[in-house]
Amino acid sequence: MESPPAPSGLAYTSDKHPRSTLSEINLLRNSRELCDVVINVGTKKIFAHRVVLSACSPYFRAMFTGELAESRQTEVTILDVEEIAMEALIEFCYTSYIVVEETNVQTLLPAACLLQLQEIQDICCDFLKRQLDPSNCLGIRAFADTHACRDLLRIADKFTQHNFQEVVESEEFLLLPPNQLIDIISSDELNVRSEEQVFNAAMGWIKYNVTERRICLPQILQHVRLPLLTPKFLVNTVSTDPLIKADDVCRDLVDEAKNYLLLPQERPLMQGPRTRPRKPIRRGELLFAGKVKNWLLVRLMPYQPYGKAVGGWCSGDAIASVERFDPLTGDWKLVAPMAKRRCGVGVAVLSDLLYAVGGHDGQSYLNTIER
């Protein structure tokens, strides 16, 4: 039997080659060999190779391959960029290595946006997402807006809405420009226990610099949903505030809210943005229930996004069903049942997990727990 012919060649791709080549080019840069451009940033002169910068940055590629004057210059000056940030980004072009931290992220991100280094923009945004806190989320939100980081802006917005009560206690909140304050308090997703919190936050912002800000009050108060306040708070607190009493538009808004509260039969004709309930996520105030006959035994259980009804009786038999209640939509929905039928069951929550404890299966008492 003839042996198969030997292969005519052996294909090979080196995994080491790209990294070792880039490493050697970086050594050339560090020793200023074969460099054909100097980037001037502030007082810093950064020696580099046009081909490497153009391969990594669309900004440099357009500069060096187009008809711009810089394409023929051996030295190029770049304004409005921190020299440490530019040095770090050019270092990344040669080494694929960079460290993003609190001390440099606010200079790296604008520089990366200028050079169109999308990968670095994404890393900076991911870093800032992890840094979000009630004390800094408004600053991060404004920073993301300035540099068109849409994903970071969206996440900072959500964080601000969900942590509104803590955010209003920060100095950043009191220093907001009016348009950003309105963006926040006009959101349907604002996580507040009651509209009183929104009113108090808005008035706190006004009174932080009442001389300059009182002119903004009518515009801002339009985004506080006064018809959702309690009658007592509207009459005793809102309508008696001297700033509100002194402004015609504000008094009209208070009258609108009073009419809404005093004329329930007219409410279908008075619907609008100020009568629309907000949709908060109220962690720690949701219902868990054990069902007995046709009644629900209600208990407060923390940190769960839904209420649940567990076990009980149905047509004289113990049941294994578990139902989930969504307080935002008012809907009940069957979810995965228990392994055993249980009535008179105890329920508890630990580490975001629901436990069904003991109970009776219609024939005998149970000494087991299901999670």
Side-chain angles (χ1 to χ4, degrees), residues 340 342 345-346 348 354-358 366-371:
K340 285 186 174 294
R342 296 175 187 267
V345 58
L354 179 68
Y355 291 78
V357 183
L366 303 171
N367 63 356
T368 58
I369 300 174
E370 294 191 48
R371 187 178 73 180

Side-chain angles (χ1 to χ4, degrees), residues 78-356:
I78 298 180
L79 303 175
D80 302 322
V81 176
E82 292 283 341
E83 54 190 63
I84 295 175
M86 180 62 78
E87 194 170 25
L89 293 175
I90 290 179
E91 185 83 14
F92 173 80
C93 291
Y94 281 86
T95 65
S96 73
Y97 177 80
I98 196 167
V99 176
V100 179
E101 52 193 355
E102 282 187 60
T103 57
N104 68 6
V105 66
Q106 294 194 44
T107 58
L108 276 179
L109 182 55
C113 291
L114 174 70
L115 301 186
Q116 297 172 266
L117 293 172
Q118 187 62 50
E119 190 175 7
I120 304 302
Q121 292 180 55
D122 293 342
I123 292 297
C124 288
C125 289
D126 287 342
F127 177 82
L128 288 171
K129 289 173 196 174
R130 295 199 297 270
Q131 299 297 111
L132 280 169
D133 181 83
S135 65
N136 67 18
C137 61
L138 294 174
I140 291 176
R141 180 185 184 277
F143 189 65
D145 194 20
T146 299
H147 299 291
C149 300
R150 294 180 182 177
D151 189 47
L152 178 60
L153 177 61
R154 177 183 59 80
I155 290 172
D157 253 340
K158 279 188 172 294
F159 186 93
T160 300
Q161 292 162 5
H162 290 176
N163 297 277
F164 181 73
Q165 196 52 44
E166 292 83 4
V167 171
V168 300
E169 295 169 5
S170 70
E171 188 178 13
E172 278 192 348
F173 180 81
L174 295 173
L175 298 176
L176 279 174
N179 62 316
Q180 290 186 28
L181 174 68
I182 288 170
D183 281 347
I184 293 168
I185 67 171
S186 61
S187 171
D188 285 347
E189 310 298 323
L190 209 58
N191 187 27
V192 289
R193 294 172 183 269
S194 71
E195 200 64 21
E196 291 179 18
Q197 292 177 312
V198 185
F199 174 82
N200 288 333
M203 295 306 293
W205 183 89
I206 293 286
K207 292 175 181 179
Y208 183 75
N209 187 351
V210 69
T211 305
E212 294 183 9
R213 294 179 176 180
R214 65 184 305 162
I215 194 172
C216 303
L217 179 59
Q219 184 185 9
I220 288 168
L221 201 63
Q222 289 183 49
H223 300 280
V224 179
R225 303 179 184 187
L226 299 183
L228 303 184
L229 294 170
T230 63
K232 182 178 178 180
F233 187 85
L234 183 67
V235 172
N236 293 348
T237 302
V238 180
S239 62
T240 60
D241 188 285
L243 293 174
I244 291 175
K245 289 170 67 176
D247 187 274
D248 291 343
V249 174
C250 293
R251 289 201 306 272
D252 288 344
L253 291 169
V254 172
D255 289 342
E256 175 193 71
K258 287 180 178 177
N259 289 337
Y260 186 84
L261 293 170
L262 290 171
L263 303 170
Q265 70 278 8
E266 300 293 330
R267 288 178 190 172
L269 303 176
M270 301 167 70
Q271 297 301 311
R274 284 186 289 277
T275 63
R276 186 167 59 242
R278 300 188 193 268
K279 303 172 185 176
I281 296 176
R282 291 176 176 163
R283 292 183 178 273
E285 297 182 2
L286 300 172
L287 303 182
F288 284 81
K291 195 179 262 189
V292 179
K293 296 186 179 178
N294 293 321
W295 298 91
L296 289 174
L297 301 180
V298 174
R299 305 181 183 184
L300 290 176
M301 293 291 179
Y303 308 119
Q304 294 288 331
Y306 299 99
K308 287 191 174 72
V310 181
W313 293 102
C314 182
S315 303
D317 294 323
I319 56 176
S321 66
V322 179
E323 296 177 65
R324 185 181 75 182
F325 176 69
D326 185 338
L328 297 181
T329 64
D331 295 330
W332 284 95
K333 181 181 178 181
L334 283 169
V335 293
M338 296 178 288
K340 285 186 174 294
R341 297 180 178 187
R342 296 175 187 267
C343 63
V345 58
V347 290
V349 173
L350 180 64
S351 300
D352 292 347
L353 295 169
L354 179 68
Y355 291 78

